[in-house]
């Protein structure tokens, strides 16, 4: 039974950005908390270590991570298989690496925008072999700043291509009509995430 859920935000977003999603999960009876971490000045290794410490201090049943948050969550759980997290939902996370991040990282000002998260965003994470079941909700409304920096093949959410959200070892994947940032406030994305967490 999934009751305790921890939410992780993405790049450029503060923790309060997830307040509407957390509120929606609380309305259906889940205990939803938010894990904040610095995405510009911070190091992903520090975020991963802090998340692991948070999970040891206050265990949860599931994690929902938006974009970079999904990458941080999977890396933390890959290194900490006994965390006890049963399910993870990644909202628009570039699990196989981001073409937009790769293009930005090649430019001095773009690399500064990505900060120390550039490598993780550019390369993604290894094929999933962890204990937690992972589901992905990707967006396909092609509006967003990302398409100004890189050509995105196939369906995309304006920042991340749907193909970039597919990772070997993860069989549960769906696509909804939402932009990259809109995945956090999309009613359909929330319904799909809830269905996966519960069913």
């Amino acid at each position: 039974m999934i009751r305790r859920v921890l939410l992780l935000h993405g790049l450029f977003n503060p923790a309060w950005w997830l307040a509407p999603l957390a509120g929606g999960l609380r309305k259906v009876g889940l205990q939803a908390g938010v894990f904040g971490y610095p995405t510009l000045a911070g190091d992903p290794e520090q975020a991963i270590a802090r998340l692991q410490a948070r999970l040891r201090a206050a265990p949860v049943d599931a994690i929902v991570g938006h974009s970079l948050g999904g990458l941080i969550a999977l890396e933390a759980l890959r290194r900490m298989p006994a965390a006890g997290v049963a399910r993870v939902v990644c909202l628009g996370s570039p699990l196989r690496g981001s073409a937009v991040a790769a293009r930005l990282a090649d430019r001095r000002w773009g690399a500064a925008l990505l900060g120390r998260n550039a490598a993780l965003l550019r390369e993604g994470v290894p094929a999933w072999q962890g204990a937690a079941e992972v589901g992905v909700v990707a967006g396909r409304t092609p509006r967003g700043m990302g398409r100004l920096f890189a050509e995105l093949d196939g369906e995309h959410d304006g920042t991340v291509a749907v193909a970039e959200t597919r990772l070997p070892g993860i069989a549960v994947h769906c696509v909804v009509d939402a932009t990259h940032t809109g995945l956090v406030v999309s009613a359909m994305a929330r319904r799909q995430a809830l269905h996966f967490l519960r069913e």
Side-chain angles (χ1 to χ4, degrees):
M1 176 76 68
I2 301 295
R3 292 190 181 278
R4 300 162 300 175
V5 182
L6 189 63
L7 279 57
L8 276 69
H9 57 86
L11 188 68
F12 307 133
N13 299 134
W16 60 259
W17 176 253
L18 294 173
L21 179 57
L25 296 179
R26 291 181 190 122
K27 283 182 181 177
V28 295
L30 296 177
Q31 299 170 24
V34 176
F35 176 79
Y37 61 102
T39 64
L40 295 179
D43 184 317
E45 291 299 323
Q46 294 171 341
I48 290 166
R50 283 185 54 210
L51 176 58
Q52 291 173 325
R54 165 66 170 77
L55 294 174
R56 281 190 289 269
V60 298
D61 305 308
I63 295 175
V64 177
H66 176 243
S67 196
L68 175 62
L71 297 172
I72 296 291
L74 291 189
E75 269 302 291
L77 295 180
R78 183 177 67 82
R79 303 176 193 184
M80 188 180 167
V85 175
R87 296 195 180 127
V88 178
V89 177
C90 295
L91 301 174
S93 299
L95 303 177
R96 298 188 78 162
S98 163
V100 171
R103 286 295 298 276
L104 284 172
D106 287 339
R107 302 169 181 176
R108 184 176 301 168
W109 61 269
L113 279 177
L114 297 175
R116 299 178 196 173
N117 295 293
L120 181 58
L121 287 166
R122 185 177 60 239
E123 298 163 16
V125 294
W128 183 245
Q129 297 178 332
E133 295 178 289
V134 181
V136 175
V137 182
R140 63 180 169 207
T141 300
R143 292 194 300 270
M145 294 294 289
R147 60 200 175 113
L148 301 177
F149 305 112
E151 186 173 336
L152 296 169
D153 295 327
E155 291 185 312
H156 61 86
D157 62 12
T159 301
V160 175
V162 170
E164 294 172 339
T165 67
R166 298 185 186 276
L167 187 71
I170 298 175
V172 182
H173 188 284
C174 72
V175 183
V176 300
D177 293 321
T179 64
H180 189 65
T181 54
L183 283 165
V184 172
V185 295
S186 164
M188 179 57 73
R190 186 173 66 248
R191 282 196 295 270
Q192 293 291 347
L194 269 172
H195 179 74
F196 176 73
L197 291 176
R198 289 176 157 175
E199 304 297 331

